[in-house]
Each structure stands twice: as C-alpha cells, then as structure tokens.
Amino acid sequence: MDKKENGVSSLTKELNGMASSGNEKRDLFVEYNTDRRTGCYLSRFQVTCLILGNLFILCTAVALVAFVKKERIIYGSVSDAVCSCQTPRSHTNVTVDYLYVKNQTSLTVLTENLAETENSTLEESNNVEDSNNEESEETTQLPEEEADPENAPWRKIRLSRDLMPLLYEINLEVDLENLTYRGHVNMTLICTNNTKFVIFHISHLFLDKDSVKVSENGTKNVFKILKQFRYIINQFWVMELDSELSAGTVYKVSVGYRGFLHEDLRGIYLSKYVTPEGEIRRLAATQLQSTDARKTFPCMDEPDMKAAFQLTLTHQEEYEAISNTPRKSERLANGWKTVEFHATPVMSTYLLAIVISDFTHREMVLDNGYNIRVWSQPDKIKQTEYAIDMVMKCYNFFTEYFNITDVLTKSDHVAVPDFSGGAMENWGLVLYRETALLYEHGVSSSENKLMVTLIVAHEVAHTWFGNMVTMRWWDDLWLNEGFASLLMYFAMDAIYPDWNVFTLSVVAKEVFPVMVKDALTTSHPVSTPIATPNDIAESFDSISYSKGMAILRMLMGFVGWEDFQKGLRTYVSKFKYQNAAMDQLWDTFTEAVNYKYDIKSTMNTWTRQMGYPIITMHAQGDSYYLTQSRFLLDDGKTTNSNGGMYDYKWVVPFTYITEGDQEVQLQWMNKSSATIPRTTDSWILANYEYVGYYRVNYEVDMWAQLAGILNRNHTEFPEANRAGLIGDSFNLARAKILDYDVALNMTTYLKYERGYAPWVAFLDSVEYIRSSISKSGAYVLMQKYLRDLVAPVFDSIEMTMEGNLPERYLRQTILKLACNVGYKRAVEYAKGMFYHWKNDGITLPSDFASMIYTVGVSEGGMEEWDYVWNRSLSTNVAVEREMLMQALGQSQKPWLLWRYANWIFDPSKIRRQDVRLVISYLSKRPLGRMISLHLLMTKWDRLNEQFGFDNFLLRETISEVTQFVNSEFEYKQLRTLFKDHPPKVAKKETQNSLALIRANINWMDENYDVITDWLRDHVVGML
C-alpha cells in the first residue's frame, strides 16, 4: 500500500471517529463518493476551493475561445486536414498555420486538403527546418468578402480559357537521398481574352512567392502582382495583376517551387525495391493522371490545355533518368547529373512522365528506326523478353491500322515496383506495375501471359487514341479508355488468332461483369458530368472502361470492320494533337458510313443514360413481338425513375439467327418495339455472338427448347451465345423476371461443355448463389451439384501445359472449381503437388501453381501458411508472389486470416499497391469474406486515413468486401458507417454497395426456397 492509500485510510478512520462522537459535527463534511470501498469526504472549505478553481478554469477557457474566435486562427492537423467536396465555411481575415512532415506518407496533413481555408491567401516560407523535418507556410490576410464574388474566376472547377499554355520549360532537381524535389517552371501562355488574372493549378507544393513573375514574352516588361493566393478547394494559385493582359499577346509566367517525395503513388513519388543482396534501393516515378501533374509542377492541369514540355532533370549521378522524349544533352558536376530532354509534342499535362532509377533495359529498333526499350530491376531483366516482343508487335499493328506513325521516335516501358493502377500510357514512357509487364516462362501462368499481352496492347493503343487525340474533359474519359480497351483486342486477335479473345476475354471477362454493375440504380452513364475533382477520380471505373468498350464493339458490329476502321483513321487524322468531344467522334463515323446511320442519335442513347435494355420476345402467330425496358437487378425504388430525354429507351441493333437460316439478321428497335418473322417449331437465337449490349428474355417454352438443344448438341450455338444464355438466364432470375429453375436447367449440359466462356459465365452466375447461401443448409446441396457437373470434365482432361490459350484456361478453371467443391481426385492432386513443392523443391506447372498453393494453405495450418508467406518474400517474380499472396487469403484458420488482413496497414509486409489485391483474395471464400467485412467495419477510420486518397483502392475494397452481404443487420451497420464517416473518394461506391446489399436481402427472401427445392430434385445421393 502506498502513501496515498495510507492517507485515505487514516482520513476515513478520523472521519468515522468524528461521526460517532455526534451528529453536530457530521454537517461539517460533504460526501464526495458513496462507494464503500473507495468513499471519501471533503470539508466545505475544500469543496468551495474546488468549485472556485473550476470556475476559474471555465472563465479562462471562455476567454481563450473568444480570443481565438476574434483572431480567426485555424490549426490544421492530421485528423482534420481532409479533402471535402462541400462548400467550406467562409472566413475573413483567416490565418492558417499547419505542419508538413517531410517524410510523412499520409496525405492528410497537406494544406490543399484543409477545406476551411478555401479563400486563404498563402505565402510560402523558404525555411526548411531539418532538425524536426517540418516546413510551415505563412499566410497573409484574405481579400474582403466583396473582393471575392461568387462569379470570381477561381470559384469554377475549370480554368477560364483567357490564357492557354503553349510551352512549359521545367527545371526539376530530385534528391533521392533527402527525399525532396525543387523546381522552376516557365509557362509560355497566349492570351485569348483580356484579363487581369493569372490562374494555374498547384497541389502539395511549396511556392517560392518571390520567384513568381509575369512578363510579356521576349521583353523585360514585368507586371506588378497586386495579390496572390491559393484557392484550395479547386487547387488553384490565383494572381491579380495591376493591369490587363492583352488578347493575342504571348506572356511568360515563372514560378519556383519545392516538394517532398512520398510513397503515395501520386504525382512524383518515391518507390523502393530490395536487391538480391538485401540492399534497399530507391527510385522516383510519376503518376500524373488524372489531376496530379499539379503535384509535380505548377501548371494548367486540364486535358484540353495542351502544350509542349521542355524538361531538364538533375539528380544524383548513380541514377539514370528517362522521360517522354530522348535525351538532348547530359552533364556531370559535383556528384550530380543534369539531363536535358527534347521537347515533347503538344500533349496534355497528365501524360508527362519521369523515372529516375538504376534500372537496366532491353532494347529493340524497328525497321523505321523507332526505338523500343523495356526497363526493370537489374535482376528481373530476363523477365522482359516477352514484353518487348509484344510491344514491337503492337506498335507495328497499330501503325498499320491507323496508317499513322507515332510522332515520337522512341518508347520506353518500365516495370515499377510500386504503382497504383495496372499501367499508365504516358506518351513515350509507359509505366506498369511489375505483374503487368514482366513474364517469366515456366513460372508465369497462361493467365499472366494474357494479362501482360492485354495491358501492353491497351497502353500502346493509347498512343493514337488518348495521346495524339484526347478527350476534352473528364466527362468523356470513356472515349480514351473504351477505345483503348476495344483496340487492344483488335491487336491481340491479329497477333494470336487462335486465342479467340473476343469470346475468351471480351464477353466472359469484360461484358458480363460490367452488366451486373450497370444493372443497379446507382450506376451512371459512360459520359457523366464532372462537378468536383473527386468526381474525376471516381470516373475511372468499369463503366468507363468495360461498358465503353462494349458499346463501341456493338457499334463496330453494325457498321462493319472496314467502316469502323475508316472512321477511326479519319478521327485521329482530323484531330491529331487536339482534343475532341464525343459528338465530333459520332459525326466522323456518320461520314465514314456515308450517312447510312445517324451514329450520334443511336449512340447517345447508350452514352448519355445509365443502364441497358432487356429485350423480351413474345410469339404472336407468324411473328415475334419484341419489346424493350430497362433491366434492373434492384427494385428501382431508391432512385428517380426519370430517364431524362431518352426515358430509358435505346436504339437497339437487335441481331438473331434461326434454325433454318444461319445468316445473321439485323432488326432496329428505335426506342420502341419491333416485330420479326417467326417459323413454327424452329428455334431462334438472339444477340448473335453477344455483340449487343443488352439481355434477351425468351418465353418459358423457348428457354426449355434452347436448354434441350444444349443437352443434345451444344456446339450448334456459338460459344459466346452458350455463355450468354447462361449469363442472361441467371441475371433474369436474380432480377425476378425468370424463375430460377429455368436458369438452373440451362446448366445441366455443362458436364459435356469443353469451352471456357460458358464455364466462366456459369461460375460467375452461380458464385452469387453460392456466396448468398454459404451460411445455410442449401450450400451443401450446391456443392454436391457442382461436384457432379465438374467431375466428368476434370476426369476427361489432363493436367498438362499443352494446347492453345483457351484450352489451358479451361484446365485452370476446371481444376479450381473441382478443388473448391471438394472433388477428391482434384484435391489430392493439388495437395500432393504442394507437398512435393514444399518438401522436394519441384517446379510446379505454372498454369496450376496458384490452385496448388491455395489447396496447400487451405488444407494446412500455420506451418504451411508461414512457408508460403516466406516464399512470397523471397521470389523475384512478381506474378509468382501474387499467386502465393492469393493462396494466403484462402486459409481456413480465422486467426491467420485476421493477422493477414491487418498486415495491409504495415507497408513493410504489404506494399501499398498490393493492399486491394489482399482484400480481394480474402473475399473469395466465406470465411475470408467474414474476416474482410469485420476489418472494414472495425478499421474503417484507419482505412480512410491511410488509403482514402487512392483513386482505386478504397473503392475496390468496398466493392469486394460487401458484394455478397445479405443480412439486414449488416446492411444497417454499413449504412450508418458510410453515413457517419463517408469516404473521401468512394462515395458512389458506398451507394452502389448499399443498393446491392438491399437487392441481396430481397433476393434471399424470394429465391432461397426455389433454389433449395431444385437442388434437392437434381442432386443424387443426398436427402
């Protein structure tokens, strides 16, 4: 017992004694705590002192608050420095003090994200306090309210076109030891309208205010700056001059600035890798799309404000710098290397790129002198052999396809250890995450080969569609991404015709998944308005990429290959070095087809409204009557049903074949119904090759007729249509348009199916059912039904690496399904191979390695888990590491999964670029989904704080984790969570998530019994 306890005990005894001596003394004391174990008493004098002391503290606090309110001081901290789309409170005479931690990777301490300082005038401090790694910005006072009108040019999200950039001369010094960069930019601008304001973008940079100058180009006429300030909500730097700039005159704006390198994967950022000897090496790379050029240098950072770029880089001499264009000169001085690059073509700011590293490269020169280099870490250069060959073939293909040569003379392709997306099409310097560029024969699987091929083709296609010709604004991002997504398949089909990529990948992997998302009331048009910078980030989704590609493929389907190519050639030639709007594209195509179709009026129904139609067929005598309506998976009550000027009607190119006529027929549905001829007792198959972006619902007896043909001779229908029949029927059942027993009847033939696309369509469709019923008794029945389907297919194929890509893909898919449903032969094969690999060091067949690792981990315990984790750290093949990391998420030990899930917050274990992969791996099985959902709910604030500014990560995390949630309790928890703590850049995804969960709940209520009854009737050997 310490002295304090002794004192309390003595006081208690004394008080008890005094109380026993008489009631007259008891009123001298006030009971403070009535707990008999810890009770004590205070005298009135002590109570009086306590009350007076509290009053003094309260008065002091009130005075302090009044003083702070008067001075209007706002302090930024990690917790409150968050980006906001809402209009901040207006403050006059605001002073802003905040701290910027030099090596802090979190973005939340940046002044640009202090929404309360909307109108603050910031003056940059030139002093870097190396002692505590902090730098502060001093501020001057705001203009008065009347000087900041609502129509002020800085209040609009987009810059005025009074000044347009012609050239950026950028001198940038990057210090990879101290993790800083310092630069100076001269912006050459032409004035188009008289103006007193110069406004440009800046984000996460410190300006040297004294260096800011505005002058008439070629003269010494320097304009006086009346005031300059940072308008944070739009990431603007605003200058008001004492006199107007004159239209038609060229001016120069000079700005000095500096910043810090962070591992945030945005702007110019820090990346690292570990050599085989264990040395940590640093590099600097850039990712400027969509709005992070302003984080690298002050600029007019909008896609249609194109200019040329003259870049000079200075860095430590042990590194090598590359950029969009070839080197012009190089010099060494005092351990530093300065490299000057040739000027770029006229291009958008987001396409500028820099890599400063000690990488090595593989090189190839084409017949026309075009130079291609592929760069990687020195010990991975062997893995670039396939990539450089693919880059060469793609450049040759697109040069011929467009009949236009790349205006640059070289193209560098770099595998970066840390990269947020899959790749970025910077003109002349394309950056990739390692798994998207590197391919190791014998280790990488056929799926990895397809992904490298696909991504390389996509990025090379951007040279013409995106780089040479660019969308005007981010509302038409889909023009860039949709066309590149379609054109990549053109190249792949030409290079590898036996891959059947339009069925293998386009239908199965692109169209089917995006149609699920686009069938929700929370979807959005491919061409969607952009109101805030966050809207730009959220537009990079599957609607822009996959739906954009799908509707362009449909366009190609009815105009034909030749006219489609003609239209694209004309478009690129006409708008080369320019920005073009969607309507200009449609006008070009209308000309290309010689006005046979009004492309604009047709395609606007697909681009300017969300969703897509379901075409319902009714037999009426000698005709089929076709009607259209919007297809929705949810009930539609959560959104306004007003479809705008199109009222959710589409101009549909409806195609079909019949039993008696295999020639494809086209029937237009101009936002209305239509009729087509009918032959009695003859089948009809709609949406031939699944080229149309719509679903088809037949009458029930027609569905039964098609199911019968599949069971008798499934090859009578094209593979894409076999997949389409399965995908459509299950989604129609999910939307309560078709009974589930009809959809399930379409799957009984699969024991005879040896095509990849139908199996993928089935597994994607049935995965929703499996995941929804995973906590119920029907799950056992479903597993048995799937075993009965897959067993004869597994037994009929050999686990070899031979054959073309579709055949190899099918083997992977069948092995995966057979193991997941517990087919004994498959599990024993995978488990045996795992222990041979673990104990004997054999090399696994690369196509099956991922599933073998998964079975080993899921059937094993901590020993197997730790072994796989350690192997993931030791491999230098990025795709092998991903396969191992995916297996770790399939453990059936909850404590291992929880540990793994929490490692996403530790960059020493899980790299930032791999966080969303780990989340997706955890979400593949019922136990992992429970763990990842628990992580989302309990670590939401930390997820937001650490990853909230990533354009993709948080959005994909929400989607992956919540896609199969179907309980009312979890719905209410998530709704409250998203409402009380909204994410920074994934608000649309939270809406999508909640809409999908509501649909999931309704689905369980309405379909569980039907599915259970069907399974009982079709599963042999179970009660």
Side-chain angles (χ1 to χ4, degrees):
M1 183 178 291
D2 60 20
K3 291 181 180 180
K4 182 178 180 180
E5 290 173 333
N6 282 328
V8 172
S9 178
S10 300
L11 178 62
T12 301
K13 290 179 181 179
E14 181 181 351
L15 292 174
N16 288 336
M18 294 176 66
S20 63
S21 65
N23 292 332
E24 68 276 6
K25 295 185 177 180
R26 184 172 298 180
D27 64 352
L28 296 176
F29 301 95
V30 178
E31 187 175 352
Y32 184 71
N33 191 323
T34 59
D35 190 332
R36 291 182 179 179
R37 292 169 297 175
T38 58
C40 64
Y41 296 85
L42 299 176
S43 70
R44 294 188 182 278
F45 175 75
Q46 290 172 311
V47 170
T48 301
C49 291
L50 183 63
I51 292 173
L52 290 174
N54 286 333
L55 286 173
F56 176 75
I57 294 172
L58 180 62
C59 292
T60 304
V62 171
L64 182 59
V65 168
F67 174 76
V68 171
K69 185 176 181 181
K70 180 180 178 181
E71 293 300 316
R72 297 285 196 180
I73 297 177
I74 300 174
Y75 293 96
S77 67
V78 171
S79 61
D80 63 9
V82 294
C83 185
S84 173
C85 294
Q86 301 173 353
T87 303
R89 298 189 301 272
S90 178
H91 297 280
T92 57
N93 300 328
V94 174
T95 299
V96 179
D97 289 338
Y98 74 97
L99 299 179
Y100 188 112
V101 183
K102 185 173 180 181
N103 294 320
Q104 172 71 35
T105 59
S106 172
L107 301 181
T108 55
V109 293
L110 302 176
T111 183
E112 286 74 13
N113 298 321
L114 282 170
E116 291 185 323
T117 63
E118 174 185 358
N119 298 321
S120 57
T121 303
L122 303 182
E123 179 181 341
E124 312 299 338
S125 170
N126 292 323
N127 299 321
V128 178
E129 299 175 7
D130 291 329
S131 60
N132 59 8
N133 286 334
E134 296 175 348
E135 180 170 82
S136 64
E137 288 193 30
E138 298 176 358
T139 68
T140 59
Q141 291 187 346
L142 272 176
E144 294 298 326
E145 286 294 330
E146 59 267 23
D148 190 27
E150 288 296 328
N151 61 352
W154 55 86
R155 285 189 173 272
K156 299 177 182 178
I157 185 177
R158 300 191 62 178
L159 293 169
S160 77
R161 270 45 186 174
D162 294 341
L163 292 168
M164 293 294 289
L166 300 174
L167 173 68
Y168 293 94
E169 297 170 280
I170 306 167
N171 285 274
L172 185 63
E173 177 186 294
V174 180
D175 187 343
L176 278 166
E177 289 186 8
N178 295 307
L179 305 183
T180 62
Y181 57 97
R182 183 181 299 270
H184 188 275
V185 59
N186 290 324
M187 293 180 260
T188 302
L189 313 174
I190 185 168
C191 184
T192 60
N193 293 294
N194 292 355
T195 181
K196 292 180 65 175
F197 295 101
V198 177
I199 306 175
F200 52 82
H201 288 100
I202 177 174
S203 176
H204 306 75
L205 294 177
F206 294 88
L207 260 67
D208 178 2
K209 189 176 178 184
D210 293 335
S211 73
V212 180
K213 291 181 174 59
V214 180
S215 60
E216 186 175 340
N217 194 45
T219 72
K220 296 182 179 180
N221 179 21
V222 178
F223 289 79
K224 181 180 179 181
I225 301 173
L226 295 179
K227 61 186 177 185
Q228 53 181 316
F229 57 94
R230 187 193 304 257
Y231 187 69
I232 292 170
I233 195 170
N234 284 339
Q235 299 179 334
F236 287 160
W237 188 268
V238 182
M239 292 181 287
E240 183 178 358
L241 309 179
D242 67 337
S243 58
E244 282 193 334
L245 304 180
S246 300
T249 306
V250 176
Y251 298 93
K252 181 169 290 187
V253 177
S254 301
V255 184
Y257 64 96
R258 62 186 180 278
F260 295 102
L261 293 173
H262 302 281
E263 295 179 83
D264 56 4
L265 312 185
R266 299 173 59 203
I268 184 166
Y269 66 91
L270 175 68
S271 180
K272 301 174 185 175
Y273 71 94
V274 181
T275 68
E277 295 74 31
E279 181 186 2
I280 297 176
R281 299 291 294 165
R282 293 174 173 175
L283 64 142
T286 54
Q287 171 57 28
L288 307 189
Q289 194 185 52
S290 54
T291 58
D292 286 319
R294 64 194 70 174
K295 186 175 178 285
T296 306
F297 62 101
C299 58
M300 294 180 170
D301 195 14
E302 296 185 16
D304 67 330
M305 304 188 85
K306 287 188 171 186
F309 298 82
Q310 178 73 62
L311 177 66
T312 301
L313 283 176
T314 300
H315 55 85
Q316 281 93 350
E317 64 181 356
E318 64 263 32
Y319 297 102
E320 186 168 0
I322 51 178
S323 187
N324 304 73
T325 54
R327 297 181 184 182
K328 187 176 182 180
S329 66
E330 179 180 313
R331 62 183 184 274
L332 298 174
N334 302 319
W336 291 82
K337 184 188 296 184
T338 298
V339 181
E340 183 181 359
F341 296 91
H342 286 280
T344 70
V346 173
M347 65 184 193
S348 300
T349 49
Y350 74 85
L351 293 173
L352 188 70
I354 297 167
V355 174
I356 302 171
S357 70
D358 60 358
F359 284 0
T360 56
H361 68 271
R362 188 187 297 268
E363 190 168 4
M364 178 183 293
V365 180
L366 304 185
D367 293 340
N368 62 359
Y370 192 77
N371 187 266
I372 298 172
R373 297 183 297 183
V374 179
W375 299 74
S376 74
Q377 299 173 36
D379 65 309
K380 297 182 179 181
I381 193 64
K382 179 185 174 185
Q383 300 172 41
T384 63
E385 182 177 358
Y386 177 73
I388 197 167
D389 181 65
M390 187 62 196
V391 170
M392 176 268 294
K393 290 176 179 176
C394 287
Y395 272 105
N396 285 336
F397 172 81
F398 287 120
T399 299
E400 180 180 350
Y401 185 86
F402 286 102
N403 197 29
I404 298 173
T405 304
D406 187 3
V407 297
L408 293 178
T409 60
K410 68 91 179 176
S411 179
D412 287 301
H413 298 253
V414 186
V416 182
D418 300 286
F419 197 75
S420 60
M424 177 59 207
E425 67 269 16
N426 314 296
W427 204 352
L429 176 52
V430 186
L431 271 58
Y432 305 75
R433 69 166 51 205
E434 291 185 328
T435 53
L437 187 66
L438 304 182
Y439 177 81
E440 177 78 353
H441 182 72
V443 178
S444 303
S445 69
S446 56
E447 185 172 6
N448 301 135
K449 184 175 184 178
L450 176 70
M451 288 306 298
V452 170
T453 306
L454 182 150
I455 293 173
V456 166
H458 181 100
E459 304 310 322
V460 173
H462 270 306
T463 303
W464 289 265
F465 220 101
N467 297 358
M468 287 188 193
V469 183
T470 314
M471 77 273 163
R472 283 187 179 174
W473 181 236
W474 298 107
D475 53 359
D476 279 334
L477 169 71
W478 80 275
L479 287 178
N480 278 17
E481 301 303 341
F483 267 105
S485 296
L486 180 61
L487 290 167
M488 70 186 179
Y489 289 116
F490 289 3
M492 292 169 66
D493 192 53
I495 296 168
Y496 297 109
D498 63 326
W499 283 13
N500 192 20
V501 293
F502 285 102
T503 297
L504 174 76
S505 196
V506 173
V507 174
K509 291 180 173 292
E510 299 258 19
V511 178
F512 287 165
V514 77
M515 290 183 88
V516 173
K517 182 174 182 179
D518 201 25
L520 299 175
T521 53
T522 51
S523 183
H524 63 86
V526 290
S527 182
T528 188
I530 299 295
T532 71
N534 281 349
D535 289 342
I536 299 173
E538 294 197 20
S539 66
F540 285 80
D541 63 3
S542 60
I543 299 295
S544 295
Y545 284 75
S546 297
K547 181 179 178 178
M549 180 275 299
I551 62 175
L552 290 170
R553 176 172 174 253
M554 183 172 63
L555 168 65
M556 181 194 67
F558 67 80
V559 303
W561 284 82
E562 292 183 2
D563 285 341
F564 190 82
Q565 181 181 16
K566 179 182 176 183
L568 286 184
R569 282 184 173 183
T570 303
Y571 179 76
V572 174
S573 298
K574 186 175 182 179
F575 296 103
K576 190 176 180 180
Y577 303 127
Q578 300 178 49
N579 298 80
M582 182 171 64
D583 287 350
Q584 293 170 306
L585 174 69
W586 302 146
D587 291 343
T588 303
F589 271 111
T590 299
E591 294 172 10
V593 299
N594 198 23
Y595 300 93
K596 180 180 179 181
Y597 303 113
D598 183 350
I599 303 298
K600 178 180 176 180
S601 63
T602 298
M603 296 306 294
N604 276 351
T605 65
W606 298 94
T607 60
R608 297 195 182 278
Q609 60 182 343
M610 69 179 82
Y612 56 89
I614 172 177
I615 308 301
T616 302
M617 300 180 62
H618 294 287
Q620 292 184 349
D622 295 335
S623 301
Y624 288 110
Y625 185 60
L626 311 178
T627 59
Q628 63 167 289
S629 59
R630 183 184 180 189
F631 179 75
L632 286 172
L633 285 175
D634 47 8
D635 57 21
K637 295 178 181 178
T638 58
T639 188
N640 187 352
S641 61
N642 180 13
M645 63 183 299
Y646 301 107
D647 196 27
Y648 293 120
K649 299 294 181 182
W650 291 263
V651 179
V652 182
F654 182 83
T655 60
Y656 64 96
I657 60 172
T658 61
E659 186 174 7
D661 186 0
Q662 296 291 312
E663 184 177 348
V664 181
Q665 304 295 321
L666 171 63
Q667 174 64 50
W668 283 98
M669 301 177 66
N670 189 11
K671 295 183 285 186
S672 62
S673 58
T675 58
I676 57 175
R678 175 192 178 209
T679 303
T680 307
D681 298 328
S682 174
W683 55 257
I684 183 171
L685 184 69
N687 199 1
Y688 185 73
E689 290 285 3
Y690 219 89
V691 173
Y693 189 72
Y694 52 85
R695 297 195 187 277
V696 179
N697 185 24
Y698 304 89
E699 292 183 333
V700 173
D701 60 343
M702 296 169 67
W703 280 111
Q705 183 184 33
L706 295 171
I709 294 169
L710 289 175
N711 276 284
R712 289 194 303 272
N713 180 19
H714 61 277
T715 59
E716 193 165 350
F717 299 151
E719 183 178 344
N721 281 109
R722 302 198 300 267
L725 288 170
I726 294 172
D728 280 359
S729 62
F730 272 88
N731 279 278
L732 291 171
R734 184 173 168 185
K736 298 173 286 188
I737 297 172
L738 193 67
D739 290 337
Y740 258 105
D741 54 359
V742 176
L744 288 164
N745 285 337
M746 304 301 294
T747 69
T748 56
Y749 91 97
L750 282 168
K751 62 185 70 172
Y752 311 113
E753 179 64 78
R754 300 299 181 269
Y756 169 75
W759 273 105
V760 170
F762 170 63
L763 293 179
D764 286 347
S765 299
V766 84
E767 181 61 25
Y768 178 78
I769 300 177
R770 289 178 69 203
S771 300
S772 297
I773 66 175
S774 61
K775 301 174 186 177
S776 67
Y779 185 72
V780 179
L781 292 171
M782 177 60 76
Q783 292 291 88
K784 177 63 167 61
Y785 177 66
L786 295 176
R787 279 199 301 274
D788 292 344
L789 280 184
V790 76
V793 183
F794 180 84
D795 292 341
S796 69
I797 61 177
E798 296 182 8
M799 293 293 106
T800 71
M801 300 284 289
E802 304 299 323
N804 59 29
L805 194 69
E807 293 170 343
R808 294 173 65 179
Y809 254 55
L810 176 66
R811 294 191 197 105
Q812 292 180 64
T813 301
I814 295 302
L815 175 64
K816 179 180 179 180
L817 175 60
C819 290
N820 284 342
V821 299
Y823 183 50
K824 187 175 180 181
R825 284 191 60 192
V827 173
E828 287 179 349
Y829 164 80
K831 192 173 180 180
M833 293 294 286
F834 176 85
Y835 283 105
H836 278 307
W837 168 74
K838 178 177 178 291
N839 299 327
D840 305 329
I842 68 167
T843 299
L844 297 176
S846 58
D847 280 355
F848 314 129
S850 179
M851 200 62 223
I852 291 169
Y853 299 146
T854 294
V855 171
V857 170
S858 63
E859 294 281 316
M862 183 173 289
E863 178 186 343
E864 288 78 9
W865 199 99
D866 288 343
Y867 181 81
V868 171
W869 169 254
N870 290 328
R871 286 294 295 262
S872 76
L873 298 179
S874 62
T875 182
N876 78 330
V877 181
V879 292
E880 182 180 31
R881 183 168 189 266
E882 280 197 3
M883 287 190 284
L884 292 163
M885 290 176 66
Q886 177 173 334
L888 294 171
Q890 312 309 303
S891 172
Q892 295 304 292
K893 304 294 186 292
W895 59 91
L896 291 175
L897 293 180
W898 183 244
R899 179 179 70 172
Y900 191 38
N902 278 275
W903 280 358
I904 67 171
F905 301 113
D906 184 354
S908 68
K909 288 186 167 63
I910 306 295
R911 300 181 86 115
R912 183 188 180 96
Q913 69 166 9
D914 295 328
V915 169
R916 55 184 170 148
L917 297 178
V918 172
I919 295 294
S920 71
Y921 301 153
L922 288 167
S923 302
K924 290 184 180 298
R925 288 193 176 185
L927 179 60
R929 282 195 288 271
M930 293 171 61
I931 295 294
S932 58
L933 181 61
H934 185 64
L935 180 83
L936 183 76
M937 289 183 174
T938 59
K939 302 294 178 73
W940 177 249
D941 287 340
R942 190 170 182 185
L943 285 166
N944 263 288
E945 179 182 348
Q946 200 157 332
F947 310 120
F949 286 94
D950 190 294
N951 287 353
F952 300 99
L953 195 156
L954 196 59
R955 187 170 67 228
E956 293 187 8
T957 296
I958 295 169
S959 175
E960 286 283 350
V961 172
T962 64
Q963 61 181 321
F964 298 120
V965 173
N966 58 10
S967 78
E968 192 71 38
F969 175 72
E970 290 166 334
Y971 172 81
K972 290 179 179 178
Q973 283 187 310
L974 288 168
R975 183 180 61 185
T976 301
L977 182 69
F978 295 153
K979 179 182 178 181
D980 294 345
H981 305 277
K984 298 179 180 69
V985 293
K987 292 180 181 178
K988 287 183 180 178
E989 194 58 51
T990 62
Q991 297 168 2
N992 287 340
S993 170
L994 292 174
L996 186 58
I997 294 171
R998 174 52 62 196
N1000 293 345
I1001 294 170
N1002 294 337
W1003 182 92
M1004 279 293 286
D1005 293 339
E1006 295 163 358
N1007 297 293
Y1008 179 78
D1009 291 339
V1010 174
I1011 292 171
T1012 303
D1013 291 342
W1014 189 94
L1015 288 170
R1016 285 198 180 104
D1017 293 338
H1018 288 79
V1019 171
V1020 179
M1022 297 191 72
L1023 297 177

